[in-house]
Amino acid sequence: RIQKRAMASEGGQGTKLQDVVIDFSSKQGETREFSETVGRDSEGSEHTNTSPLMKASPKYPDLDSIGEKKITTKEDKELGIVTVEVQSTEKGINLRVDGPDFKDKFGRRVMLRGINVSGASKMPVVPDGATHFKKGFYDNVENVDFVGRPFPLEDADQHFRRLRAWGFNFIRLVITWESVEHKGPGMYDMKYLNYLRRIVQKAGEYDIGVYVDPHQDVWSRWTGGCGAPAWTLELAGFDLKNLDEVGASVTQQMYQPSPDAFPHMLWPTNLYKLACATMFTLFWSGNDFAPNLKVGEQNCDVKNLSCVKKYKEMKIKSKNSDFKIEDGYSLEDKKNQGFRRVTVATPIQDFLQDCYLSAMHAVATKLVGLQNVVGFGTMNEPHNGYHGQRDLSKVWGQLTNGVFPTPFESFQLGDGMTVKTREFIPGCCAFACGVALGSVEMNPEKKRAWLSDRKCIWRSHGVWDIVEGKPLLKKKGYFDNGKDWSESYYIPFAQRFAEMIHKVNKSWHV
């Protein structure tokens, strides 16, 4: 914004505008002084000359240093004030790291004023993924739709205009692994990715920077949170429909007596239940703790996944013709991609991480060229799973709340046994440091957390077994291998993630 004070001279001709101050603090980070001559018409009204709007004195560079710009002028004749607005049309904040600071392309320190956009993105639009809806929770889990998360494209202007007016210049854009790869390993939802690009473009129109957040909470929707697609659990051998009944997870959708009775902040306790703890262990440290579980061997195979079987059935039904979009597989899906093939038996840790990285690579390549993209997170709130647990016969973790079996009890429950375990009430805060209230008998119907053709992973690895008709914990410290989880498991993954992102755009932050 440039303000010039007109100083009338005798005769009223060739008036020289002095004390001209141009403040480019929003673009250049310094104050500059300019001068310009305006004339007066026969009636004495001022007008700006038709020469270039401003010319800098030799001490300063000219306005071209701003780059592409839109220039408008306003004149208040009564006050003798001419206001010139110079607005950059370049979108994106192009952040770089300089010591402890973020700096823009002009070398100025940038204060990010950010907000999450948005928590609704953790759940699909179709079917409605609101956690208090029980109906359809297990149906067609591979055929969901996240287009419209965080909001419909036609509403984007309203939301971004409002955020900008409130002073925000940065958003943490929430996405999930499931939103990208729910159809099966290697099958990406191109309709969603195209929508996501348009949302990021729209944010750029309001000079809002975007940090992409691959979000998860306690692994997946079927383990009480959000994040991973359903096929990851099935690949490991879990039967989704039995997880809640055997205490392998606790979800609001299946909570008894009704979803409305779901206690506040009970969901984080899933970190210490069988399904979530197992999946995180396999993802981060499966090569150490489940070396015998390999994709492509026995029943742990992509071709055995329900999503793949449904795809083949649809293909046969359609007699190899193109699938309709309403069937869940668009022509673009069929033409450009297919299920990930496993030609050599692959450790499940490597397979899961490769799938995750490839899905995020699909997101990154879709956002290429958008200047307001600042970077990517690796994964929201990653958890170490069972790693580091010294005694599997004891309650572990601080989130003791509700029915809370020990890991060993979870193994038994998951393998079809009825077990009496402790129930806790919250202690010093809403969801942690609980106090044991009593005991509860779980899984009276003796259902299994595992598919009928799959064995308990930890039993097959010799952690526990049934001896003379009774469960026996053989290796109570099995997961305590003395390794630092961050150094040994997370950092190598984060480095792979960063390398993948930087091959797409080396300027993006991870």
Side-chain angles (χ1 to χ4, degrees), residues 169-239:
N169 63 358
F170 198 73
I171 64 171
R172 181 179 182 235
L173 183 63
V174 176
I175 67 171
T176 65
W177 183 5
E178 181 192 4
S179 68
V180 179
E181 201 176 11
H182 52 84
K183 297 180 180 183
M187 291 287 284
Y188 307 128
D189 190 333
M190 302 307 297
K191 182 180 176 182
Y192 170 75
L193 292 177
N194 290 331
Y195 157 82
L196 193 67
R197 178 180 175 87
R198 295 182 69 184
I199 285 292
V200 176
Q201 282 179 315
K202 184 62 66 173
E205 293 176 12
Y206 292 86
D207 280 329
I208 294 177
V210 174
Y211 165 84
V212 181
D213 166 40
H215 204 90
Q216 74 80 34
D217 293 301
V218 298
W219 188 258
S220 74
R221 291 196 289 133
W222 299 273
T223 50
C226 67
W231 60 259
T232 61
L233 289 149
E234 187 182 351
L235 188 67
F238 284 114
D239 185 341

Coordinates of all heavy atoms in Angstrom, one line a residue, residues 169-239:
N169 N -3.1 -18.2 7.3 CA -2.3 -18.2 6.0 C -1.8 -19.6 5.8 O -0.9 -19.8 4.9 CB -1.2 -17.2 6.0 CG -0.1 -17.4 7.1 OD1 -0.3 -18.4 7.9 ND2 0.9 -16.6 7.1
F170 N -2.2 -20.6 6.5 CA -1.6 -21.9 6.5 C -2.6 -23.0 7.0 O -3.3 -22.7 7.9 CB -0.4 -21.9 7.4 CG 0.6 -23.1 7.1 CD1 1.4 -23.0 6.0 CD2 0.7 -24.1 8.0 CE1 2.3 -24.1 5.7 CE2 1.6 -25.2 7.7 CZ 2.4 -25.1 6.6
I171 N -2.7 -24.1 6.3 CA -3.6 -25.2 6.7 C -2.8 -26.5 6.8 O -1.9 -26.7 6.0 CB -4.8 -25.3 5.8 CG1 -4.4 -25.7 4.4 CG2 -5.7 -24.1 5.9 CD1 -5.6 -26.1 3.6
R172 N -3.2 -27.3 7.7 CA -2.8 -28.7 7.8 C -3.9 -29.5 7.2 O -4.9 -29.7 7.7 CB -2.6 -29.1 9.2 CG -2.1 -30.5 9.5 CD -1.9 -30.7 11.0 NE -1.4 -32.0 11.4 CZ -2.0 -32.8 12.2 NH1 -3.1 -32.4 12.8 NH2 -1.5 -34.0 12.6
L173 N -3.7 -29.9 5.9 CA -4.7 -30.6 5.2 C -4.7 -32.1 5.5 O -3.8 -32.8 5.1 CB -4.5 -30.4 3.7 CG -5.5 -31.0 2.7 CD1 -6.9 -30.3 3.0 CD2 -5.1 -30.8 1.3
V174 N -5.8 -32.5 6.1 CA -5.9 -33.9 6.6 C -6.3 -34.8 5.5 O -7.4 -34.6 4.9 CB -6.9 -34.0 7.8 CG1 -7.0 -35.4 8.2 CG2 -6.4 -33.1 9.0
I175 N -5.5 -35.9 5.3 CA -5.9 -37.0 4.4 C -5.7 -38.3 5.1 O -5.0 -38.3 6.2 CB -5.2 -37.0 3.0 CG1 -3.7 -37.3 3.3 CG2 -5.3 -35.6 2.3 CD1 -2.9 -37.5 2.0
T176 N -6.1 -39.4 4.6 CA -5.8 -40.7 5.2 C -5.4 -41.6 4.1 O -5.6 -41.5 2.9 CB -7.1 -41.3 5.9 OG1 -8.1 -41.6 4.9 CG2 -7.6 -40.4 7.0
W177 N -4.6 -42.7 4.6 CA -4.2 -43.7 3.7 C -5.5 -44.4 3.0 O -5.5 -44.7 1.8 CB -3.4 -44.7 4.5 CG -2.8 -45.9 3.7 CD1 -2.8 -46.1 2.3 CD2 -2.1 -47.0 4.2 NE1 -2.2 -47.3 2.0 CE2 -1.7 -47.8 3.2 CE3 -1.7 -47.3 5.5 CZ2 -1.0 -49.0 3.4 CZ3 -1.0 -48.5 5.7 CH2 -0.6 -49.3 4.7
E178 N -6.5 -44.6 3.8 CA -7.7 -45.2 3.3 C -8.3 -44.4 2.2 O -8.9 -44.9 1.2 CB -8.7 -45.4 4.5 CG -10.0 -46.0 4.0 CD -11.1 -45.9 5.1 OE1 -10.9 -45.3 6.1 OE2 -12.2 -46.5 4.8
S179 N -8.3 -43.1 2.3 CA -8.9 -42.2 1.3 C -8.3 -42.4 -0.1 O -8.9 -42.2 -1.1 CB -8.9 -40.8 1.7 OG -7.6 -40.3 1.7
V180 N -7.0 -42.8 -0.1 CA -6.3 -42.9 -1.4 C -6.3 -44.4 -1.9 O -6.5 -44.6 -3.1 CB -4.8 -42.5 -1.1 CG1 -4.0 -42.7 -2.4 CG2 -4.7 -41.1 -0.7
E181 N -6.2 -45.4 -1.0 CA -6.0 -46.8 -1.4 C -7.0 -47.7 -0.8 O -6.7 -48.9 -0.4 CB -4.6 -47.2 -1.0 CG -4.0 -48.3 -1.8 CD -2.6 -48.7 -1.5 OE1 -2.0 -48.1 -0.5 OE2 -2.0 -49.4 -2.2
H182 N -8.3 -47.3 -0.7 CA -9.3 -48.2 0.0 C -9.7 -49.4 -0.9 O -10.2 -50.4 -0.4 CB -10.5 -47.4 0.3 CG -11.0 -46.6 -0.8 ND1 -11.9 -47.1 -1.7 CD2 -10.8 -45.3 -1.1 CE1 -12.2 -46.1 -2.6 NE2 -11.6 -45.0 -2.3
K183 N -9.4 -49.3 -2.2 CA -9.9 -50.3 -3.1 C -9.0 -51.6 -3.1 O -9.4 -52.6 -3.6 CB -10.0 -49.8 -4.5 CG -11.0 -48.6 -4.7 CD -11.1 -48.1 -6.1 CE -12.1 -47.0 -6.2 NZ -12.2 -46.5 -7.6
G184 N -7.9 -51.4 -2.6 CA -6.9 -52.6 -2.5 C -5.5 -52.1 -2.7 O -5.3 -51.0 -3.3
P185 N -4.5 -52.9 -2.4 CA -3.1 -52.5 -2.6 C -2.8 -52.2 -4.0 O -2.9 -53.1 -4.9 CB -2.3 -53.7 -2.0 CG -3.3 -54.9 -2.0 CD -4.6 -54.3 -1.8
G186 N -2.4 -51.0 -4.3 CA -2.0 -50.6 -5.6 C -3.1 -49.9 -6.4 O -2.9 -49.4 -7.5
M187 N -4.3 -49.9 -5.9 CA -5.5 -49.3 -6.6 C -5.8 -48.0 -5.9 O -6.3 -47.9 -4.8 CB -6.7 -50.3 -6.5 CG -6.6 -51.5 -7.3 SD -6.7 -51.3 -9.1 CE -8.5 -51.0 -9.2
Y188 N -5.5 -46.9 -6.6 CA -5.7 -45.6 -6.0 C -6.9 -44.9 -6.5 O -7.3 -45.1 -7.7 CB -4.5 -44.7 -6.4 CG -3.1 -45.3 -6.0 CD1 -2.1 -45.5 -6.9 CD2 -3.0 -45.9 -4.7 CE1 -0.9 -46.1 -6.5 CE2 -1.8 -46.5 -4.3 CZ -0.8 -46.6 -5.3 OH 0.4 -47.2 -4.9
D189 N -7.6 -44.2 -5.7 CA -8.8 -43.5 -6.0 C -8.5 -42.2 -6.8 O -8.3 -41.2 -6.1 CB -9.6 -43.2 -4.7 CG -11.0 -42.7 -5.0 OD1 -11.2 -42.1 -6.1 OD2 -11.9 -42.9 -4.2
M190 N -8.5 -42.3 -8.1 CA -8.1 -41.1 -8.9 C -9.1 -40.0 -8.8 O -8.7 -38.8 -8.9 CB -7.9 -41.5 -10.3 CG -6.8 -42.7 -10.5 SD -5.2 -42.3 -9.8 CE -4.7 -40.8 -10.7
K191 N -10.3 -40.3 -8.6 CA -11.4 -39.3 -8.5 C -11.1 -38.5 -7.2 O -11.2 -37.2 -7.3 CB -12.7 -40.0 -8.4 CG -13.9 -39.0 -8.3 CD -15.2 -39.8 -8.2 CE -16.4 -38.8 -8.0 NZ -17.7 -39.6 -7.8
Y192 N -10.7 -39.1 -6.2 CA -10.4 -38.4 -4.9 C -9.1 -37.6 -5.1 O -9.0 -36.4 -4.7 CB -10.2 -39.4 -3.8 CG -9.6 -38.7 -2.5 CD1 -10.4 -37.9 -1.7 CD2 -8.3 -38.9 -2.2 CE1 -9.9 -37.3 -0.6 CE2 -7.8 -38.3 -1.0 CZ -8.6 -37.5 -0.3 OH -8.1 -36.9 0.9
L193 N -8.1 -38.1 -5.8 CA -6.8 -37.4 -5.9 C -7.0 -36.2 -6.8 O -6.4 -35.1 -6.6 CB -5.8 -38.3 -6.6 CG -5.3 -39.5 -5.7 CD1 -4.3 -40.4 -6.4 CD2 -4.7 -38.9 -4.4
N194 N -7.9 -36.3 -7.8 CA -8.2 -35.1 -8.7 C -8.9 -34.0 -7.8 O -8.6 -32.8 -8.0 CB -9.0 -35.5 -9.9 CG -8.2 -36.3 -10.9 OD1 -7.0 -36.2 -11.0 ND2 -8.9 -37.2 -11.6
Y195 N -9.8 -34.5 -7.0 CA -10.5 -33.5 -6.1 C -9.6 -32.9 -5.2 O -9.6 -31.7 -5.0 CB -11.6 -34.3 -5.3 CG -12.0 -33.6 -4.1 CD1 -13.0 -32.6 -4.0 CD2 -11.5 -34.0 -2.8 CE1 -13.3 -32.0 -2.9 CE2 -11.9 -33.4 -1.6 CZ -12.8 -32.4 -1.7 OH -13.1 -31.8 -0.5
L196 N -8.6 -33.6 -4.6 CA -7.7 -33.1 -3.6 C -6.8 -32.0 -4.3 O -6.6 -31.0 -3.7 CB -6.8 -34.2 -3.1 CG -5.9 -33.9 -1.9 CD1 -6.8 -33.7 -0.7 CD2 -5.0 -35.1 -1.6
R197 N -6.4 -32.2 -5.5 CA -5.6 -31.2 -6.2 C -6.4 -29.9 -6.4 O -5.9 -28.8 -6.2 CB -5.2 -31.7 -7.6 CG -4.4 -30.7 -8.4 CD -3.9 -31.2 -9.7 NE -3.2 -30.1 -10.4 CZ -2.0 -29.8 -10.4 NH1 -1.2 -30.5 -9.6 NH2 -1.5 -28.8 -11.1
R198 N -7.7 -30.0 -6.7 CA -8.5 -28.8 -6.9 C -8.7 -28.1 -5.6 O -8.7 -26.9 -5.6 CB -9.8 -29.2 -7.5 CG -9.6 -29.8 -8.9 CD -11.0 -30.1 -9.6 NE -11.7 -28.9 -9.9 CZ -13.0 -28.9 -10.4 NH1 -13.6 -30.1 -10.6 NH2 -13.6 -27.8 -10.6
I199 N -8.8 -28.8 -4.5 CA -8.9 -28.2 -3.2 C -7.6 -27.4 -2.9 O -7.7 -26.2 -2.4 CB -9.2 -29.2 -2.1 CG1 -10.6 -29.7 -2.1 CG2 -8.9 -28.6 -0.7 CD1 -11.7 -28.6 -1.8
V200 N -6.5 -28.0 -3.1 CA -5.2 -27.3 -2.8 C -5.0 -26.1 -3.8 O -4.5 -25.1 -3.4 CB -4.0 -28.3 -3.0 CG1 -2.7 -27.6 -2.8 CG2 -4.1 -29.4 -2.0
Q201 N -5.4 -26.3 -5.0 CA -5.4 -25.1 -5.9 C -6.2 -24.0 -5.4 O -5.8 -22.8 -5.5 CB -5.9 -25.5 -7.3 CG -4.9 -26.3 -8.2 CD -5.5 -26.7 -9.5 OE1 -6.7 -27.2 -9.6 NE2 -4.8 -26.5 -10.6
K202 N -7.4 -24.3 -4.9 CA -8.3 -23.3 -4.4 C -7.7 -22.6 -3.2 O -7.8 -21.3 -3.1 CB -9.7 -23.9 -4.1 CG -10.7 -22.9 -3.6 CD -11.1 -21.9 -4.7 CE -11.7 -22.6 -5.9 NZ -12.2 -21.5 -6.9
A203 N -7.0 -23.3 -2.4 CA -6.4 -22.7 -1.2 C -5.3 -21.7 -1.7 O -5.1 -20.6 -1.1 CB -5.7 -23.7 -0.3
G204 N -4.6 -22.1 -2.8 CA -3.6 -21.2 -3.3 C -4.1 -19.9 -3.9 O -3.4 -18.9 -3.8
E205 N -5.4 -19.9 -4.3 CA -6.0 -18.7 -4.8 C -6.1 -17.6 -3.7 O -6.3 -16.5 -3.9 CB -7.3 -19.0 -5.4 CG -7.2 -19.8 -6.7 CD -8.6 -20.2 -7.3 OE1 -9.6 -19.6 -6.8 OE2 -8.6 -21.0 -8.2
Y206 N -6.1 -18.1 -2.4 CA -6.2 -17.2 -1.3 C -4.9 -17.1 -0.5 O -4.9 -16.7 0.6 CB -7.3 -17.8 -0.4 CG -8.7 -17.7 -1.0 CD1 -9.2 -18.7 -1.8 CD2 -9.5 -16.5 -0.7 CE1 -10.4 -18.6 -2.4 CE2 -10.7 -16.4 -1.3 CZ -11.2 -17.4 -2.1 OH -12.4 -17.3 -2.7
D207 N -3.8 -17.4 -1.2 CA -2.5 -17.4 -0.7 C -2.4 -18.1 0.7 O -1.7 -17.7 1.6 CB -2.0 -15.9 -0.4 CG -1.5 -15.3 -1.7 OD1 -1.0 -16.0 -2.5 OD2 -1.7 -14.0 -1.8
I208 N -3.0 -19.3 0.7 CA -2.9 -20.2 1.9 C -2.0 -21.3 1.6 O -2.2 -22.1 0.6 CB -4.3 -20.7 2.2 CG1 -5.2 -19.5 2.7 CG2 -4.2 -21.7 3.3 CD1 -6.6 -19.9 3.0
G209 N -0.9 -21.4 2.4 CA 0.0 -22.5 2.3 C -0.6 -23.8 2.8 O -1.5 -23.8 3.6
V210 N -0.2 -25.0 2.2 CA -0.7 -26.3 2.5 C 0.4 -27.2 3.0 O 1.3 -27.4 2.3 CB -1.5 -26.9 1.3 CG1 -2.0 -28.3 1.6 CG2 -2.7 -26.0 1.0
Y211 N 0.1 -27.8 4.1 CA 1.0 -28.9 4.7 C 0.1 -30.1 4.7 O -1.0 -30.2 5.3 CB 1.4 -28.6 6.1 CG 2.0 -29.7 6.9 CD1 3.3 -30.1 6.8 CD2 1.2 -30.4 7.8 CE1 3.8 -31.1 7.5 CE2 1.7 -31.4 8.6 CZ 3.0 -31.8 8.5 OH 3.5 -32.8 9.2
V212 N 0.5 -31.2 3.9 CA -0.4 -32.4 3.8 C -0.1 -33.3 4.9 O 1.1 -33.7 5.2 CB -0.1 -33.1 2.4 CG1 -1.0 -34.3 2.3 CG2 -0.3 -32.1 1.3
D213 N -1.1 -33.7 5.6 CA -1.0 -34.5 6.8 C -1.6 -35.9 6.6 O -2.9 -36.0 6.6 CB -1.8 -33.8 8.0 CG -2.0 -34.8 9.2 OD1 -1.1 -35.6 9.5 OD2 -3.1 -34.7 9.8
P214 N -0.8 -36.9 6.3 CA -1.3 -38.3 6.3 C -1.7 -38.7 7.7 O -0.9 -39.1 8.5 CB -0.1 -39.1 5.7 CG 0.8 -38.1 5.2 CD 0.6 -36.9 6.0
H215 N -3.0 -38.7 7.9 CA -3.5 -38.8 9.3 C -3.9 -40.2 9.7 O -4.3 -41.0 8.8 CB -4.7 -37.9 9.5 CG -4.9 -37.5 11.0 ND1 -4.3 -36.4 11.5 CD2 -5.6 -38.1 12.0 CE1 -4.7 -36.3 12.8 NE2 -5.4 -37.3 13.1
Q216 N -3.6 -40.6 10.9 CA -4.1 -41.8 11.4 C -4.3 -41.6 12.9 O -3.6 -40.9 13.6 CB -3.2 -43.0 11.2 CG -1.9 -43.0 12.0 CD -2.1 -43.6 13.4 OE1 -2.9 -44.5 13.6 NE2 -1.3 -43.0 14.3
D217 N -5.3 -42.4 13.5 CA -5.5 -42.5 14.9 C -5.7 -44.0 15.2 O -6.7 -44.5 14.6 CB -6.6 -41.6 15.4 CG -6.4 -40.1 15.2 OD1 -5.4 -39.6 15.8 OD2 -7.1 -39.5 14.5
V218 N -4.9 -44.6 16.0 CA -5.1 -46.0 16.4 C -5.3 -46.9 15.2 O -6.2 -47.8 15.2 CB -6.1 -46.2 17.5 CG1 -5.7 -45.5 18.8 CG2 -7.5 -45.7 17.1
W219 N -4.6 -46.6 14.1 CA -4.5 -47.4 12.9 C -5.6 -47.2 11.9 O -5.4 -46.9 10.8 CB -4.3 -48.9 13.2 CG -3.9 -49.7 12.0 CD1 -4.8 -50.5 11.2 CD2 -2.7 -49.7 11.3 NE1 -4.1 -51.0 10.1 CE2 -2.8 -50.5 10.1 CE3 -1.4 -49.1 11.5 CZ2 -1.8 -50.8 9.2 CZ3 -0.4 -49.3 10.6 CH2 -0.6 -50.2 9.5
S220 N -6.9 -47.5 12.3 CA -7.9 -47.5 11.3 C -9.3 -47.3 11.9 O -9.4 -47.3 13.1 CB -7.9 -48.9 10.5 OG -8.5 -49.9 11.4
R221 N -10.3 -47.2 11.0 CA -11.6 -47.0 11.5 C -12.1 -48.2 12.2 O -12.9 -48.1 13.2 CB -12.6 -46.6 10.3 CG -12.3 -45.3 9.7 CD -13.5 -44.9 8.9 NE -13.6 -45.6 7.6 CZ -14.7 -46.2 7.2 NH1 -15.8 -46.1 7.8 NH2 -14.7 -46.8 6.0
W222 N -11.7 -49.4 11.9 CA -12.2 -50.6 12.5 C -11.4 -51.0 13.7 O -11.7 -52.0 14.4 CB -12.1 -51.7 11.4 CG -12.9 -51.4 10.3 CD1 -14.2 -51.7 10.1 CD2 -12.5 -50.7 9.1 NE1 -14.7 -51.2 8.9 CE2 -13.7 -50.5 8.3 CE3 -11.3 -50.1 8.7 CZ2 -13.6 -49.9 7.1 CZ3 -11.3 -49.4 7.5 CH2 -12.4 -49.3 6.7
T223 N -10.4 -50.1 14.1 CA -9.8 -50.3 15.4 C -9.9 -49.1 16.2 O -9.1 -48.7 17.1 CB -8.3 -50.6 15.2 OG1 -7.7 -49.6 14.3 CG2 -8.1 -52.0 14.6
G224 N -11.0 -48.3 16.0 CA -11.4 -47.2 16.8 C -11.0 -45.8 16.4 O -11.2 -44.9 17.1
G225 N -10.4 -45.7 15.2 CA -9.9 -44.4 14.9 C -10.0 -44.1 13.4 O -11.1 -44.1 12.9
C226 N -8.9 -43.9 12.7 CA -8.9 -43.7 11.2 C -7.6 -43.9 10.7 O -6.6 -44.2 11.4 CB -9.3 -42.2 11.0 SG -8.0 -41.0 11.5
G227 N -7.4 -43.9 9.4 CA -6.1 -44.0 8.8 C -6.0 -45.1 7.7 O -6.2 -44.9 6.5
A228 N -5.6 -46.3 8.1 CA -5.3 -47.4 7.2 C -6.6 -48.0 6.6 O -7.6 -48.1 7.2 CB -4.5 -48.5 7.8
P229 N -6.5 -48.5 5.3 CA -7.6 -49.2 4.7 C -7.9 -50.5 5.4 O -7.0 -51.1 6.0 CB -7.2 -49.3 3.2 CG -5.7 -49.2 3.2 CD -5.3 -48.3 4.4
A230 N -9.1 -51.0 5.2 CA -9.5 -52.3 5.8 C -8.6 -53.5 5.4 O -8.4 -54.4 6.1 CB -11.0 -52.5 5.5
W231 N -8.2 -53.5 4.1 CA -7.4 -54.6 3.6 C -6.1 -54.9 4.3 O -5.6 -56.0 4.3 CB -7.2 -54.5 2.1 CG -6.4 -53.3 1.6 CD1 -6.9 -52.2 1.1 CD2 -5.0 -53.2 1.7 NE1 -5.8 -51.3 0.8 CE2 -4.6 -51.9 1.1 CE3 -3.9 -54.0 2.1 CZ2 -3.3 -51.4 1.0 CZ3 -2.6 -53.5 2.0 CH2 -2.3 -52.3 1.5
T232 N -5.6 -53.8 5.0 CA -4.3 -54.1 5.8 C -4.6 -55.0 6.9 O -3.7 -55.9 7.2 CB -3.8 -52.7 6.3 OG1 -4.7 -52.1 7.2 CG2 -3.5 -51.8 5.2
L233 N -5.7 -54.9 7.6 CA -6.1 -55.8 8.7 C -6.4 -57.2 8.2 O -5.9 -58.2 8.8 CB -7.3 -55.2 9.4 CG -7.1 -54.0 10.3 CD1 -8.3 -53.1 10.3 CD2 -6.6 -54.3 11.7
E234 N -7.0 -57.3 7.1 CA -7.4 -58.6 6.5 C -6.1 -59.3 6.1 O -6.0 -60.5 6.2 CB -8.3 -58.4 5.3 CG -8.8 -59.7 4.8 CD -9.8 -59.5 3.6 OE1 -10.1 -58.4 3.3 OE2 -10.1 -60.5 2.9
L235 N -5.2 -58.5 5.5 CA -3.9 -59.1 5.1 C -3.2 -59.8 6.2 O -2.5 -60.8 6.1 CB -3.0 -58.1 4.4 CG -1.8 -58.6 3.7 CD1 -2.1 -59.4 2.5 CD2 -0.9 -57.4 3.3
A236 N -3.2 -59.1 7.4 CA -2.6 -59.6 8.6 C -3.3 -60.8 9.2 O -2.8 -61.5 10.0 CB -2.4 -58.5 9.6
G237 N -4.6 -61.0 8.7 CA -5.3 -62.2 9.2 C -6.5 -61.9 10.0 O -7.2 -62.8 10.5
F238 N -6.8 -60.6 10.3 CA -7.9 -60.2 11.2 C -9.3 -60.3 10.5 O -9.4 -60.0 9.3 CB -7.7 -58.8 11.7 CG -6.7 -58.7 12.8 CD1 -5.5 -58.0 12.6 CD2 -6.9 -59.3 14.0 CE1 -4.6 -57.9 13.6 CE2 -6.0 -59.2 15.0 CZ -4.8 -58.5 14.8
D239 N -10.3 -60.7 11.2 CA -11.7 -60.7 10.8 C -12.3 -59.5 11.4 O -12.6 -59.4 12.6 CB -12.4 -62.0 11.3 CG -13.8 -62.1 10.8 OD1 -14.4 -61.1 10.4 OD2 -14.4 -63.2 10.9

